């Protein structure tokens, strides 16, 4: 990681990032659709069975976009929203505010709370069906337990490379400051990754603005990185062969989300 302001060093880091992003985008575009579907199912099953997910009461999660080749989260979202509102985990999902990397996390309680934006990405409307402003996670009185993150490239030391917008790094930094101010425990940062998105340590160049993750979930299982993540995942190991998948539910949710985005 660099904290150096040397323009040549910074440019070299950004060049390495651009090159790695280009490589992984091509690999994701060429990923076999059947394999991708199998990995989506495996990853979501691991998350849903994990003690850190089951114990969470308040979480942020991304709404996956198939066009971006993000790991699917539709089954995770459905599991949270399938319960009566009074029994649900509080779920906050991203809404992009501008082109300056500003993003908010707004609460939803139903899949129908999502609408497609100009980029055909599902995000929450600013107001709910009653015309009330949606709850913003930065303004609630209780701390987040869990943050489920997307990304383009990861390594097993916790480095994460996004798609270049800086939205998640900026939001995570703001929330970390809020948690420090409130004297809250920091949420567990878990990134979801296809097998091919995990590279060897040293391949991802980072700066002081890049926020690391605590753990990865890949089809191979839960990969703890920080001590907090190790403690959170001790009770059981979740791996693809051990899971029993609710495949019918999974595909029904995909069809429902695709219908909303049309």
């Amino acid at each position: 990681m660099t904290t150096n302001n040397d323009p040549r060093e910074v440019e070299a880091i950004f060049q390495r990032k651009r090159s790695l992003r280009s490589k992984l985008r091509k690999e994701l575009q060429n990923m076999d659709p059947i394999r991708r579907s199998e990995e989506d199912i495996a990853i979501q099953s691991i998350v849903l069975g994990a003690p850190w997910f089951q114990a969470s009461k308040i979480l942020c999660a991304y709404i996956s976009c198939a066009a971006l080749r993000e790991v699917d989260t539709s089954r995770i979202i459905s599991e949270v929203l399938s319960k009566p509102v009074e029994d649900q985990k509080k779920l906050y999902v991203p809404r992009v505010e501008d082109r300056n990397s500003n993003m908010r996390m707004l609460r939803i309680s139903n899949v129908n709370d999502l609408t497609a934006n100009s980029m055909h990405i599902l995000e929450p409307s600013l107001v709910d069906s009653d015309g009330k402003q949606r709850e913003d996670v930065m303004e609630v009185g209780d701390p987040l337990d869990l943050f489920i993150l997307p990304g383009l490239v990861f390594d097993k030391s916790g480095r994460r490379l996004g798609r270049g917008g800086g939205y998640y790094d900026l939001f995570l930094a703001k929330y970390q400051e809020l948690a420090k101010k409130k004297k809250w425990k920091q949420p567990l940062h878990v990134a979801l990754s296809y097998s091919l998105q995990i590279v060897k340590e040293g391949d991802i160049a980072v700066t002081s603005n890049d926020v690391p993750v605590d753990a990865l979930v890949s089809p191979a299982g839960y990969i703890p990185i920080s001590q907090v993540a190790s403690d959170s995942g001790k009770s059981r190991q979740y791996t693809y062969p051990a899971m029993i998948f609710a495949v019918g539910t999974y595909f029904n949710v995909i069809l429902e989300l695709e219908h909303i985005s049309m």
Side-chain angles (χ1 to χ4, degrees):
M1 179 183 295
T2 182
T3 56
N4 195 310
N5 291 324
D6 183 342
R8 291 172 297 180
E9 184 179 352
V10 172
E11 178 54 32
I13 289 173
F14 281 110
Q15 180 56 46
R16 285 180 61 190
K17 287 186 174 187
R18 285 191 291 268
S19 177
L20 190 55
R21 284 190 182 104
S22 177
K23 178 177 180 290
L24 264 293
R25 284 192 182 104
K26 289 176 183 176
E27 291 184 13
L28 285 170
Q29 286 292 334
N30 293 329
M31 188 178 181
D32 179 70
I34 294 175
R35 178 184 172 190
R36 185 168 64 248
S37 178
E38 289 174 345
E39 293 202 5
D40 281 331
I41 295 170
I43 290 166
Q44 291 183 95
S45 293
I46 292 164
V47 171
L48 291 172
W52 41 264
F53 176 80
Q54 293 177 354
S56 66
K57 302 297 183 185
I58 305 176
L59 72 153
C60 287
Y62 69 96
I63 304 296
S64 55
C65 176
L68 295 177
R69 299 295 193 269
E70 292 174 328
V71 172
D72 186 31
T73 57
S74 60
R75 190 168 149 220
I76 297 169
I77 302 300
S78 176
E79 173 67 21
V80 173
L81 301 181
S82 64
K83 296 177 173 56
V85 174
E86 59 273 17
D87 298 327
Q88 283 181 12
K89 300 175 186 291
K90 286 189 175 183
L91 174 63
Y92 299 82
V93 299
R95 179 185 172 90
V96 171
E97 292 293 289
D98 54 38
R99 295 181 179 273
N100 297 317
S101 302
N102 290 304
M103 179 176 75
R104 297 170 69 190
M105 287 281 175
L106 304 181
R107 188 180 178 189
I108 63 170
S109 56
N110 191 289
V111 172
N112 293 324
D113 292 339
L114 301 170
T115 57
N117 65 17
S118 59
M119 301 294 291
H120 306 291
I121 296 172
L122 293 174
E123 61 181 18
S125 56
L126 288 171
V127 297
D128 62 20
S129 58
D130 296 323
K132 297 178 181 177
Q133 289 287 322
R134 291 196 183 281
E135 194 172 84
D136 188 319
V137 77
M138 296 293 288
E139 298 171 0
V140 299
D142 298 304
L144 270 174
D145 302 309
L146 174 64
F147 209 126
I148 296 178
L149 293 157
L152 193 56
V153 196
F154 311 94
D155 72 16
K156 292 183 181 180
S157 72
R159 292 184 174 189
R160 170 189 170 274
L161 182 64
R163 295 177 184 274
Y167 289 93
Y168 281 92
D169 284 320
L170 181 59
F171 184 87
L172 291 172
K174 287 179 179 178
Y175 191 85
Q176 285 177 340
E177 285 303 310
L178 175 67
K180 287 177 185 176
K181 182 180 177 181
K182 297 276 191 178
K183 295 181 170 51
W184 288 340
K185 180 181 177 182
Q186 295 289 344
L188 184 70
H189 295 165
V190 179
L192 309 187
S193 174
Y194 292 123
S195 300
L196 63 80
Q197 291 178 280
I198 301 176
V199 299
K200 67 178 185 293
E201 291 182 32
D203 282 0
I204 302 175
V206 295
T207 69
S208 57
N209 294 325
D210 295 314
V211 180
V213 300
D214 293 304
L216 300 174
V217 176
S218 79
Y222 176 65
I223 305 171
I225 296 165
S226 70
Q227 186 59 51
V228 171
S230 295
D231 294 341
S232 298
K234 275 181 179 175
S235 59
R236 294 190 347 223
Q237 285 294 320
Y238 299 86
T239 57
Y240 177 55
M243 305 309 299
I244 299 173
F245 306 125
V247 178
T249 301
Y250 169 75
F251 285 111
N252 285 338
V253 173
I254 290 177
L255 290 172
E256 186 175 0
L257 290 175
E258 286 180 345
H259 175 72
I260 292 170
S261 64
M262 291 175 64

